[in-house]
Amino acid sequence: MEYVEPAQARNLDGLRLALTAGVPGPYSLAARAIFDHHGVAYVSVRQVGAGANEDLVAWTGHRNAPVAVYNDEAPRAGWLEILNLAERLGSGTSLIPDDIDERMLMVGLANELVGENGFIWNMRVAMLGLGGPERVARERGRNPMYDQYGYSDEAAAVAIDRAKVVVDRLARQLTDQRSAGRRYLVGDAFSALDIYWAYFSQGVRTLPQELCAMPDGMRKGYEIAGGMLGETDPGLIEHRDFVFSEHRLPLDF
């Protein structure tokens, strides 16, 4: 991946997409996959995970990635507003179901998976707590994610249970879909929910290193926290692997 620095990108036209560089950030990869699906060209803008990203903040008001900025429109950082932007700018099949009930179901499940206090939010809280109180005290002053995710001992104590509820609900959804002869997580077609699950499933089981390289510490954190979830429906990982194989989602960063 080639990246433009934020200070340069803010003077460009078209779509600029701030992405976490150097690691397979699931939010960034999912945003890329959605714009790629719709054939929307963009300039990749460097964001440093857990960094201050002062130039990005000065431009967009956001420290994290992804952030999508289209021409002079307001920056978009939420998963749903990024998805809606891709739907508006792009072409090809929609990643949002036409049926109102299926659309509401997809948005609700996706928010439980990737939204605030959802699956990946709580998995990150759990990972921030790994290593015990001494590590937390040492890292908290230099890692802004502790404050961003509202880390506390109380939040860490319930994080895995909250994450597990979401995984179990997705497993029930997949079972219902398969019973109805459907291949995807919602409705009859590939949707944004399938993309989000493909990337955020690493919180349950990581992809092999040869498919998705990541730093040892990041992989270890995922694997320890994922192991704390206990038994999960193997069909969810089978579905993840199918989505990557069938739709060739990006895994470079």
Side-chain angles (χ1 to χ4, degrees):
M1 286 284 293
E2 294 185 1
Y3 294 93
V4 170
E5 298 301 324
Q8 177 185 355
R10 71 184 302 172
N11 297 316
L12 301 177
D13 295 324
L15 179 63
R16 283 72 43 89
L17 190 59
L19 302 165
T20 302
V23 294
Y27 284 100
S28 292
L29 288 171
R32 280 183 58 202
I34 287 166
F35 282 113
D36 289 351
H37 172 85
H38 282 300
V40 181
Y42 53 86
V43 172
S44 300
V45 181
R46 184 182 306 277
Q47 185 266 353
V48 178
N53 296 293
E54 293 174 353
D55 287 343
L56 184 64
V57 173
W59 172 32
T60 68
H62 298 281
R63 182 185 63 79
N64 290 333
V67 184
V69 185
Y70 180 65
N71 289 335
D72 294 327
E73 296 181 8
R76 293 167 168 87
W79 71 268
L80 184 55
E81 59 184 5
I82 289 175
L83 172 60
N84 283 329
L85 179 64
E87 293 277 319
R88 172 164 69 87
L89 298 180
S91 59
T93 58
S94 176
L95 292 171
I96 302 174
D98 289 332
D99 179 83
I100 182 64
D101 293 325
E102 291 176 352
R103 184 162 66 250
M104 293 175 70
L105 179 60
M106 190 211 78
V107 170
L109 289 173
N111 194 61
E112 289 295 321
L113 183 61
V114 308
E116 185 169 341
N117 209 32
F119 167 73
I120 200 63
W121 179 285
N122 279 288
M123 292 300 288
R124 285 182 170 176
V125 169
M127 286 187 277
L128 289 170
L130 295 177
E134 290 186 1
R135 179 184 176 277
V136 170
R138 184 174 65 250
E139 293 292 325
R140 188 159 198 165
R142 59 191 181 192
N143 187 343
M145 293 179 72
Y146 282 90
D147 290 334
Q148 176 190 347
Y149 284 91
Y151 182 87
S152 67
D153 292 342
E154 293 77 15
V158 299
I160 291 296
D161 288 341
R162 288 180 171 175
K164 176 69 170 171
V165 168
V166 179
V167 175
D168 289 347
R169 178 63 183 88
L170 283 174
R172 294 199 306 273
Q173 178 66 20
L174 181 62
T175 297
D176 290 345
Q177 286 287 98
R178 288 185 170 179
S179 297
R182 293 175 168 178
R183 193 66 185 84
Y184 294 99
L185 279 168
V186 174
D188 294 313
F190 181 55
S191 78
L193 182 61
D194 298 294
I195 291 176
Y196 293 128
W197 171 245
Y199 289 112
F200 289 90
S201 67
Q202 298 228 66
V204 175
R205 185 186 303 172
T206 54
L207 287 160
Q209 183 75 0
E210 60 268 23
L211 293 180
C212 183
M214 67 177 69
D216 290 344
M218 183 178 185
R219 182 172 292 277
K220 183 177 180 181
Y222 271 133
E223 290 177 348
I224 292 174
M228 294 165 66
L229 289 168
E231 291 293 325
T232 56
D233 185 344
L236 286 171
I237 300 303
E238 292 172 6
H239 183 70
R240 184 267 303 276
D241 295 343
F242 163 76
V243 169
F244 274 117
S245 174
E246 184 74 11
H247 297 279
R248 301 187 179 277
L249 304 183
L251 281 169
D252 60 314
F253 46 85

